[in-house]
Amino acid sequence: MPTTAEQEVLDEISQVPGNSVQRIPFHLYDKQYRKTTKLADVESGATAVKGRSDWYRFDFTEPVFVQDNSH
């Protein structure tokens, strides 16, 4: 059972309209100086880099909630 404070946060999150943001804003990424983090900055117009089939972990400066509706 969530505490009162937790329930308030859950209520606030549930009021955010779905699909309100299409991309995660780059300013929310932590350690923006890293080369792998710069890959996420699609707005900068950066040139392509040689791809690898690796998974990259990104850390954020605050919680980011992601929902996949592609299925």
Side-chain angles (χ1 to χ4, degrees), residues 1 3 5 7 11-12 14-16 18-22 24 26-27 35-36 42-43 46-47 51 54 63 68 70:
M1 185 65 96
T3 65
Q7 188 60 50
D11 291 342
E12 182 181 344
S14 68
Q15 293 176 10
V16 175
N19 298 327
S20 61
V21 176
Q22 297 299 319
I24 299 171
F26 189 68
H27 71 271
K35 290 180 183 178
T36 54
V42 295
E43 298 295 324
T47 58
D54 292 340
D68 181 7
S70 64

Side-chain angles (χ1 to χ4, degrees), residues 11-69:
D11 291 342
E12 182 181 344
I13 292 169
S14 68
Q15 293 176 10
V16 175
N19 298 327
S20 61
V21 176
Q22 297 299 319
R23 292 189 180 124
I24 299 171
F26 189 68
H27 71 271
L28 295 177
Y29 286 86
D30 193 22
K31 299 178 179 72
Q32 295 177 2
Y33 57 86
R34 290 183 177 172
K35 290 180 183 178
T36 54
T37 305
K38 289 180 182 180
L39 293 173
D41 189 10
V42 295
E43 298 295 324
S44 71
T47 58
V49 295
K50 184 177 180 178
R52 296 186 341 198
S53 59
D54 292 340
W55 287 94
Y56 296 105
R57 176 185 166 95
F58 296 106
D59 295 314
F60 300 98
T61 57
E62 60 185 78
V64 175
F65 299 93
V66 179
Q67 180 177 349
D68 181 7
N69 292 328

